[in-house]
Amino acid sequence: MKNDERTVEKNKKELSLKSMYFNRYLLVRYVSAFFFFTNLYWFVSLLMSQSALFLVPLTLLVVLIISIAEQVKMYSDHTNNPKYTRYCFQTLLGTNVLLILPVSFSSSFTHLYPFLIDETRSKLLIFFILITGILLSKHILNRLNQIRHNEDKHYKRIKQYEEVIN
């Protein structure tokens, strides 16, 4: 009976640690979901508009799916260096920076966003969305760098918890 209780308690502690390591990436997962659904909406809109530039969000969706798969895998196989997730956010950052330029040029704007009217309000909306994407990508890359070097707050809490349970 005591052996079973010890095993159950040990399993609970291991599961708690596993969850704590996985939760270091909670913000990364939320932002990945945000980018996924934003690009999915853009992709569907471009398809419905029969724009040939649907490949831009499609490529981003593929990169995001690879990153999301890596993040799911991290639950069972923790890593401090999720290279596909880092590559994903570098790609998103670069794409958002490159997409700011067409906001200034009407012809490119209408090809990338054919579902919007080519006017200043629409351009400001897209500019705001792209700046938000740049800031989010940069923030997540900083967070990934902190996790990689074990400088995040969650890591300190995990180490404190490990000390308590051992």
Side-chain angles (χ1 to χ4, degrees):
M1 198 73 157
K2 289 245 185 201
N3 237 359
D4 289 342
E5 287 177 14
R6 286 182 194 153
T7 305
V8 168
E9 190 63 32
K10 182 183 175 198
N11 288 342
K12 282 183 182 179
K13 290 176 183 177
E14 287 175 3
L15 183 61
S16 292
L17 274 174
K18 187 184 237 187
S19 295
M20 289 175 84
Y21 276 107
F22 188 65
N23 285 337
R24 291 171 82 183
Y25 294 95
L26 189 62
L27 180 63
V28 176
R29 290 194 305 274
Y30 281 130
V31 173
S32 295
F34 170 76
F35 275 116
F36 177 81
F37 287 108
T38 302
N39 282 294
L40 182 62
Y41 173 76
W42 186 26
F43 172 70
V44 169
S45 298
L46 287 174
L47 278 180
M48 290 173 56
S49 302
Q50 298 178 344
S51 173
L53 293 175
F54 72 90
L55 291 173
V56 175
L58 179 62
T59 303
L60 294 174
L61 284 169
V62 169
V63 170
L64 278 158
I65 288 170
I66 293 168
S67 168
I68 291 167
E70 178 182 53
Q71 292 171 46
V72 169
K73 182 182 169 203
M74 284 192 303
Y75 185 73
S76 61
D77 186 21
H78 175 73
T79 181
N80 278 8
N81 189 18
K83 62 182 178 180
Y84 296 115
T85 301
R86 183 182 341 286
Y87 172 73
C88 171
F89 281 96
Q90 289 169 342
T91 303
L92 290 166
L93 177 66
T95 303
N96 282 323
V97 168
L98 289 174
L99 288 174
I100 283 182
L101 298 174
V103 171
S104 306
F105 305 107
S106 312
S107 64
S108 297
F109 181 84
T110 56
H111 292 297
L112 282 167
Y113 313 103
F115 46 88
L116 293 174
I117 299 170
D118 186 10
E119 62 179 33
T120 305
R121 275 196 225 162
S122 299
K123 289 180 180 183
L124 285 174
L125 172 68
I126 295 299
F127 183 78
F128 174 75
I129 290 169
L130 293 173
I131 291 295
T132 302
I134 289 168
L135 294 174
L136 281 173
S137 296
K138 189 69 179 143
H139 182 70
I140 295 301
L141 287 169
N142 288 338
R143 174 70 58 100
L144 289 171
N145 193 43
Q146 288 176 338
I147 291 171
R148 184 176 177 189
H149 294 100
N150 291 325
E151 296 170 349
D152 58 313
K153 292 177 186 177
H154 294 288
Y155 183 74
K156 292 172 186 161
R157 289 186 196 123
I158 291 168
K159 288 301 167 189
Q160 289 172 344
Y161 180 73
E162 284 177 340
E163 287 177 15
V164 169
I165 64 173
N166 291 330

